[in-house]
Amino acid sequence: MEITPPGCDGNVMASRIWKRERTMLVDKFDRSFPYLRLSITAICNFSCTYCLPNGYQKTGQEHFLRQDEISRLLDAFIDLGVWKIRLTGGEPTIRKDFTEIARMIGKRDEIKTFAFTTNGYRLKENAKVWRDAGLNNVNISIDSLNAKKFHEITGHNRMKEIREGIEEAIKVGFENVKINVVLLKGVNDGELDQYLDYVKGTPVSVRYIELMQTGDNLTYFNKYHRSADHIKDQLLKRGWVENIRTPGAGPAVNFTHSDYSGSIGIIAPYSKDFCTGCNRLRITSSGDLRLCLFGNVGIPLRHLLQNDDQKETLKKVISKQLDYKASSHFLAAGDTGIMTNLSSTGG
Ligand code: SAM
Ligand code: SF4
């Protein structure tokens, strides 16, 4: 049974007790981490201009976490109170054993929210199988609703089939269907009307993500980054309402409107206080723990995933690392940490 978090009634103590009961992963800034983002591959078939403009380039290190290693990782994190998992990448669905991985995780009752982020290229044919496997939330990246622009951004002329995949995901009962849109100056920052038309009759949440600088994309970032403030201003002017944030909610700010089936969210990593809402830890496709997307260290865990007897040591290592989680990233100062692009770490 899902425990309902205390409401935003200013009862800070109740909220803290709730957090601590739900997860043992709490850092020194009193942030709790019930949410794990697990990258299962760094490979991707798309070549999004801001992520992998030349497509995925083989490194010879394509030895991604195996199913038995993922299972042990899961055991440890579940013991530590994690109840939300997102599979990401690279393109997670490119793995031949994606459905098997989904079934293995989907069997675990402790996981209440089981999500994945995808470019959607296999969604139309597989939405039902994946929903049946236990996945209940899906984020699909669509950076433009204009087919030509979509093609230019991703390198693939597949918007139509991806949109059909979204329809299928809704039809087969995914509980939350979100559309990720990376905001790009002069490219898609004038498309709010098109996205609003889309959410008018479609029960999806469109989430604008401000473009983030990575180790690889400085020139691109300088050219295309734009703050999402103008999106917020336009939404408020048109009668959209900013939702009250619940404890444990992630860093997105969400807006709703009674005339629309869907909603709009804004993820603004450069905004003040963005990191105070941090509720997630990350595992890279080669099994490193990352405390922050833009951190300077990856803590190797793979050697502790080789047999079941290592679970207690693994749990201790993970818990101890939380003492080193910084209060925020240093993106505003241009410090992107060791992350080269999001496909390697898992966005
Ligand atoms: N391949 C899948 C996809 O694109 O949905 C999952 C991995 S992708 C790295 C996860 C998310 O990160 C996508 O929504 C993508 O648009 C976003 N992303 C990638 N690079 C980014 C950047 N530099 N700034 C902001 N978002 C980015
Ligand atoms: Fe691939 Fe996702 Fe990166 Fe696009 S954003 S290149 S789909 S990993």
Side-chain angles (χ1 to χ4, degrees):
M1 189 186 72
E2 184 87 71
I3 296 176
T4 311
C8 285
D9 55 0
N11 190 346
V12 175
M13 189 51 74
S15 156
R16 281 187 187 161
I17 291 167
W18 177 76
K19 281 188 202 167
R20 285 184 190 280
E21 276 174 355
R22 292 297 290 160
T23 173
M24 276 134 264
L25 295 170
V26 180
D27 74 359
K28 56 183 192 258
F29 306 102
D30 208 35
R31 295 174 298 191
S32 60
F33 300 90
Y35 178 13
L36 184 69
R37 289 195 169 196
L38 176 58
S39 173
I40 56 172
T41 180
I43 299 176
C44 186
N45 53 334
F46 277 26
S47 44
C48 300
T49 46
Y50 49 81
C51 182
L52 291 174
N54 304 312
Y56 177 78
Q57 305 290 315
K58 278 201 161 192
T59 62
Q61 302 295 312
E62 284 80 13
H63 309 293
F64 306 121
L65 288 176
R66 301 183 310 265
Q67 282 184 46
D68 61 307
E69 293 170 321
I70 294 173
S71 173
R72 292 189 190 101
L73 195 68
L74 195 69
D75 284 343
F77 274 103
I78 285 176
D79 276 10
L80 292 167
V82 161
W83 52 265
K84 174 169 180 176
I85 302 261
R86 175 176 302 279
L87 298 179
T88 180
E91 175 48 43
T93 68
I94 213 164
R95 262 183 81 144
K96 290 199 172 63
D97 60 351
F98 179 77
T99 306
E100 283 170 60
I101 294 172
R103 282 197 187 112
M104 172 181 77
I105 300 175
K107 272 192 205 131
R108 303 298 298 259
D109 286 343
E110 302 90 340
I111 302 301
K112 306 296 177 201
T113 305
F114 183 22
F116 67 120
T117 305
T118 176
N119 61 30
Y121 88 107
R122 293 182 63 206
L123 190 58
K124 191 175 159 191
E125 291 73 27
N126 292 285
K128 173 138 177 44
V129 178
W130 293 338
R131 180 69 188 96
D132 290 346
L135 283 154
N136 52 24
N137 283 222
V138 57
N139 286 29
I140 306 107
S141 300
I142 300 197
D143 296 320
S144 175
L145 290 174
N146 172 309
K148 188 165 167 277
K149 264 191 213 168
F150 179 88
H151 189 173
E152 282 163 10
I153 296 170
T154 62
H156 284 256
N157 189 12
R158 293 185 171 185
M159 197 184 73
K160 185 171 171 291
E161 71 193 66
I162 292 168
R163 283 187 62 166
E164 287 167 0
I166 294 169
E167 297 301 324
E168 191 61 21
I170 296 168
K171 198 168 114 196
V172 301
F174 274 86
E175 291 157 20
N176 278 303
V177 178
K178 295 179 183 166
I179 310 298
N180 288 359
V181 183
V182 179
L183 188 63
L184 302 170
K185 183 162 68 184
V187 179
N188 64 7
D189 54 350
E191 276 193 49
L192 180 61
D193 282 337
Q194 283 88 321
Y195 283 103
L196 289 181
D197 281 352
Y198 184 48
V199 298
K200 181 103 185 167
T202 315
V204 296
S205 171
V206 166
R207 292 142 62 89
Y208 278 102
I209 307 172
E210 287 179 354
L211 176 67
M212 294 179 267
Q213 186 187 331
T214 66
D216 280 352
N217 78 358
L218 181 61
T219 311
Y220 186 96
F221 173 83
N222 286 336
K223 188 164 175 198
Y224 293 107
H225 173 80
R226 180 175 186 190
S227 134
D229 287 351
H230 70 290
I231 302 282
K232 179 175 176 175
D233 292 346
Q234 287 185 47
L235 289 172
L236 294 176
K237 260 190 218 143
R238 296 172 192 208
W240 287 70
V241 177
E242 184 174 333
N243 293 357
I244 293 171
R245 293 164 67 80
T246 51
V253 178
N254 291 305
F255 298 83
T256 46
H257 190 299
S258 54
D259 296 343
Y260 289 76
S261 309
S263 62
I264 304 279
I266 293 179
I267 300 178
Y270 291 86
S271 65
K272 191 177 144 295
D273 293 338
F274 180 76
C275 299
T276 54
C278 185
N279 62 354
R280 64 215 47 200
L281 297 172
R282 291 183 160 83
I283 300 286
T284 67
S285 51
S286 53
D288 285 4
L289 171 67
R290 293 279 174 89
L291 298 171
C292 171
L293 197 47
F294 301 100
N296 281 306
V297 204
I299 302 105
L301 298 181
R302 198 166 195 176
H303 62 291
L304 295 173
L305 301 174
Q306 300 313 309
N307 66 66
D308 296 345
D309 300 344
Q310 294 172 297
K311 185 163 89 167
E312 292 310 315
T313 314
L314 177 62
K315 281 163 57 182
K316 271 190 204 131
V317 170
I318 297 167
S319 304
K320 182 71 195 144
Q321 283 302 322
L322 281 189
D323 292 347
Y324 305 111
K325 186 163 162 69
S327 62
S328 73
H329 59 59
F330 301 99
L331 262 189
D335 182 352
T336 55
I338 54 174
M339 200 254 290
T340 47
N341 56 61
L342 263 71
S343 88
S344 58
T345 317

